Structure formats: structure tokens, C-alpha cells
Amino acid sequence: MEVTTGLRPRTEVERWQVQDRLAQRVRLAGCDARPRFYEAPDGRLAFRLRVGWRPGPALLRALQRIDEVAPGEA
């Protein structure tokens, strides 16, 4: 499964911070797979997950909102 976020980190440090935050959100969504990050052709941050044939509905919902800013973050 591939997920492309709406995030475009400007520096390497910002990229690492965003990747850490997204990896934590993937774990909190109940997914044991480790995200493999890369930059999409348009510059947005994207990642791949190995989740099998049919990911659960809760995981799909969480991934749809993965790049939203949570309360307390920013």
C-alpha cells in the first residue's frame, strides 16, 4: 500500500521530524508494518506499507487522515 501525504518538508531535519511523527501515527493505528519513506515526484512525502491484501477499515481511515495536525502538535 502506498500513501502520499500533503506534506512537503523544507529541510532534512523537518523531514526526519515528520517521518518520526508519521511512523508513530502508523503504529498507533494498529499497524505493525514499518513505513518506507520516499519523496513523490511532486515533492510531497510518501511512504509504503506492507499490510497484506486487505487492510482493516480502521487502518484505512487512519491513513486517510495521517497528515492532519493533531491537537497539541504544530
Side-chain angles (χ1 to χ4, degrees):
M1 166 180 283
E2 294 191 28
V3 178
T4 303
T5 69
L7 305 170
R8 288 185 172 94
R10 293 168 288 208
T11 65
E12 285 298 313
V13 172
E14 185 179 0
R15 180 184 172 100
W16 296 331
Q17 291 171 338
V18 170
Q19 287 177 351
D20 286 344
R21 187 172 63 231
L22 292 175
Q24 180 181 17
R25 288 180 181 182
V26 168
R27 283 190 305 274
L28 289 174
C31 181
D32 294 331
R34 188 173 143 204
R36 307 285 181 192
F37 291 97
Y38 65 97
E39 188 174 314
D42 62 357
R44 294 185 298 167
L45 188 61
F47 60 92
R48 289 184 183 95
L49 287 174
R50 292 183 184 239
V51 293
W53 285 98
R54 292 185 184 198
L59 177 60
L60 291 175
R61 281 191 304 274
L63 292 175
Q64 288 174 342
R65 298 184 315 265
I66 197 83
D67 59 354
E68 292 177 359
V69 176
E73 292 183 353

